[in-house]
Amino acid sequence: MQYYYGSQMPLRVLDECEFWKQQEEEHTVVIRELVKGLESKYMEALEKWERALSETHHRVVRFVETVNRSKGPFNYHLYQDLMSLVSHCLDQSKSFIAFCGMLMEESEPIKTNPTAKVVMNHIIDESEYFIGIAQTILYQK
């Protein structure tokens, strides 16, 4: 972990949120492209996930821009907004992990494709990594 953020350590967690929300968004495309014959209900669900993850990614980018324009330390209200946004990011990632797990259990084209299973497990691992790193940053002493 890099500590050059100093008093702007909240920017560290925002950097992680920005990166990982974009990754999760791209993962929805990877799944759709990789799994031939994916059931239409799952294709549609992945498209909805892509839009939701994209919106969260853009919310994070806008928040970073707001923080940069403020040019000061985090005040109480800004910090509360940060915590709310990060909480949303973490909850969304947990839900995305659950969705990916459900896909692995219910989708026949995924269950019968060893490569898809490996990719799905990797996607889940990456989202779990994001959750772990974000929580570490938030709760370090």
Side-chain angles (χ1 to χ4, degrees):
M1 185 178 314
Q2 299 175 6
Y3 293 96
Y4 59 82
Y5 290 88
S7 66
Q8 293 296 312
M9 187 54 90
L11 291 176
R12 171 77 168 123
V13 75
L14 290 172
D15 284 349
E16 293 294 336
C17 290
E18 180 181 358
F19 177 78
W20 289 107
K21 288 297 120 179
Q22 184 174 24
Q23 287 297 112
E24 289 173 334
E25 177 186 348
E26 291 172 1
H27 288 156
T28 66
V29 176
V30 168
I31 296 166
R32 291 194 320 259
E33 294 293 322
L34 174 66
V35 182
K36 302 302 175 207
L38 186 64
E39 297 90 343
S40 62
K41 66 181 179 180
Y42 299 133
M43 290 290 281
E44 291 169 11
L46 283 164
E47 289 169 354
K48 287 181 183 176
W49 269 109
E50 181 182 11
R51 288 189 298 272
L53 291 161
S54 175
E55 172 56 30
T56 300
H57 175 250
H58 291 296
R59 281 179 59 194
V60 172
V61 169
R62 288 189 304 269
F63 193 87
V64 169
E65 290 168 353
T66 298
V67 169
N68 286 334
R69 281 192 305 271
S70 73
K71 297 188 189 260
F74 272 72
N75 63 39
Y76 175 80
H77 295 292
L78 194 58
Y79 187 77
Q80 290 303 108
D81 290 345
L82 166 83
M83 294 303 288
S84 177
L85 178 57
V86 172
S87 178
H88 170 74
C89 289
L90 295 173
D91 289 344
Q92 186 179 53
S93 290
K94 290 172 187 174
S95 295
F96 184 62
I97 290 167
F99 172 76
C100 288
M102 183 267 308
L103 274 179
M104 290 179 65
E105 291 177 13
E106 296 182 8
S107 173
E108 286 303 318
I110 292 176
K111 289 195 296 190
T112 59
N113 182 333
T115 303
K117 287 193 261 185
V118 168
V119 170
M120 294 296 296
N121 280 320
H122 180 72
I123 288 169
I124 289 168
D125 288 347
E126 286 199 341
S127 290
E128 288 174 341
Y129 174 81
F130 161 64
I131 292 168
I133 194 74
Q135 289 175 335
T136 298
I137 294 165
L138 288 175
Y139 303 116
Q140 68 181 336
K141 302 225 178 225

